[in-house]
Structures are given as C-alpha cells and as structure tokens.
Amino acid sequence: MVKTISLKADEKAVIYRRNFSSVPMQIRFDAIATNGGPPKGQVEIRGSNWIFPKPPSQQPLHATNSVSAGFWDTFFAIAVTADTDLTITLPSHQFSFSTPLLWGLVAIVSIIAIAVFWLS
C-alpha cells in the first residue's frame, strides 16, 4: 500500500518519522507537482541529537528522492517544504532485508534455534 501526502505551496510537513530504531535503511519517496511541471521544494533531514548529534541537512526536492538513515539515527525525520503544490508518495513498507548484517543475524539466530531444538 502506498502512503500519499498532499502539500500546498509554502506548506511544510513531516513525511517520515522513526523513533527508537537503529536499523540502517534507505527511505525512498516520489514527488509529483500537481501543475504537471517538475516538483520544487526542499527536503530537510533530521537525525538524532542525543549520542552523536548532527545538525539537520537540506537537499533539493526531486521527482525521485532517497534518504539514508544510519545506525546512529535512532530518532529520525524527513520533512518536505513545497514551493509548488505537490503530491508525495511513499511505499508503506520501507524496510528491506538486503543488508548483509541483518542476513547474518538471521542466520545466527536460526542456527542457535536449530541447535537448541536438537539438543533438547
């Protein structure tokens, strides 16, 4: 399922937020200008401020956008400020098991579970 957010010109909205998660991931979203032209605006990326603080960063809004949330971004948010009327679409499921570390963890847990089963 796709999450759709409509923004008017000069409106700002948080389009993605996560709390208490340290899983590295890519957040992808699309921006479509309702007037048929290219989308115009700014993307503000706010990472964690508590252990290793980093200031918010900005990048221009594109038709297809990708933002990285790292291991230390336990509290993370993405806000979009629209310069034109926009429709933002986000896939509802952003998490992916493509990270080798996560596959390694799944393998270790599986091996331990099988060993406990066979030894009991």
Side-chain angles (χ1 to χ4, degrees):
M1 179 152 220
V2 175
K3 179 179 177 183
T4 303
I5 301 166
S6 296
L7 296 174
K8 300 287 184 194
D10 298 322
E11 186 177 2
K12 181 177 185 176
V14 174
I15 63 163
Y16 179 84
R17 180 186 320 262
R18 77 175 193 182
N19 296 316
F20 301 107
S21 175
S22 292
V23 177
M25 61 189 307
Q26 289 285 329
I27 298 93
R28 293 178 175 85
F29 61 95
D30 296 322
I32 301 165
T34 56
N35 65 4
K40 294 180 184 174
Q42 289 291 317
V43 178
E44 181 181 357
I45 302 146
R46 296 181 226 148
S48 289
N49 281 329
W50 63 297
I51 294 179
F52 295 109
K54 63 181 177 182
S57 62
Q58 291 196 357
Q59 63 188 38
L61 182 68
H62 300 288
T64 302
N65 301 274
S66 180
V67 176
S68 298
F71 181 76
W72 295 110
D73 291 321
T74 305
F75 300 95
F76 186 82
I78 301 170
V80 172
T81 303
D83 292 340
T84 60
D85 292 352
L86 297 172
T87 300
I88 307 288
T89 57
L90 290 112
S92 61
H93 193 300
Q94 294 280 340
F95 187 72
S96 140
F97 279 107
S98 62
T99 306
L101 175 66
L102 292 176
W103 277 116
L105 289 173
V106 169
I108 290 169
V109 169
S110 299
I111 290 168
I112 291 171
I114 291 170
V116 168
F117 176 75
W118 284 106
L119 293 175
S120 60

